[in-house]
Amino acid sequence: MTKILLLSDTHSHIDETILKYVAQADEVWHAGDIGDLHVTDTIKKLKPLRCVYGNIDGSQARLEFPLHNRFLCENVSVWITHIGGYPGKYNPAIREELTLNPPKLFICGHSHILKVMFDKKNNLLHMNPGACGKSGFHQMRTMLRFVIEDDKIKDLEIIEIGKK
């Protein structure tokens, strides 16, 4: 069993509330737009981190993290990217690969809109944790946490960490 904290769009912001949830997870996954690498450095001191860079991230983040991160967590195939779209409206740059080689769990950020939906066509679960930073148009800062156990994704929780 692996407890995951999923966040995105920190835009250089990290605070004690976010770190409280980091401490409760086994792994932290960040779906891009990190901002200052102080954010990821702080998380990495506490927990293992899987991360991708986003469109606002500079050369340091792009050297440290990939654009796409595909991996296996227990028996769940995962693909994290920053600009992925959502079922029926995937980013054209990844649509073909997503159709030919879909993961069980597809994660993206970018929109600042929390969205979790099952894609029947590609037989995958799509997650976007919204934004937990303070920059952007979103009104509520959000993250997701869930458990992966063998080939199951379960116990999904929405975490609202306050208004900007």
Side-chain angles (χ1 to χ4, degrees), residues 97-152:
E97 177 68 16
L98 199 57
T99 302
L100 294 174
N101 187 16
K104 183 167 186 164
L105 176 58
F106 180 68
I107 295 168
C108 61
H110 186 62
S111 70
H112 292 220
I113 300 168
L114 187 146
K115 190 177 289 199
V116 177
M117 47 194 306
F118 188 74
D119 177 347
K120 291 178 187 174
K121 182 179 174 190
N122 292 306
N123 194 33
L124 61 85
L125 182 61
H126 169 275
M127 289 186 187
N128 183 323
C132 66
K134 292 188 172 184
S135 296
F137 66 88
H138 59 283
Q139 298 301 306
M140 180 63 65
R141 298 168 50 226
T142 57
M143 302 183 293
L144 292 171
R145 72 176 166 185
F146 54 95
V147 170
I148 293 181
E149 187 168 15
D150 190 32
D151 65 346
K152 305 275 187 289

Side-chain angles (χ1 to χ4, degrees), residues 1-41:
M1 181 177 79
T2 308
K3 294 182 280 186
I4 307 298
L5 177 67
L6 175 60
L7 51 88
S8 187
D9 296 275
T10 47
H11 292 263
S12 301
H13 179 78
I14 188 115
D15 60 30
E16 290 305 315
T17 303
I18 295 169
L19 293 174
K20 175 183 85 171
Y21 288 101
V22 167
Q24 296 169 9
D26 295 321
E27 292 185 11
V28 177
W29 299 353
H30 194 305
D33 276 3
I34 303 156
D36 190 313
L37 290 184
H38 169 72
V39 170
T40 49
D41 291 344

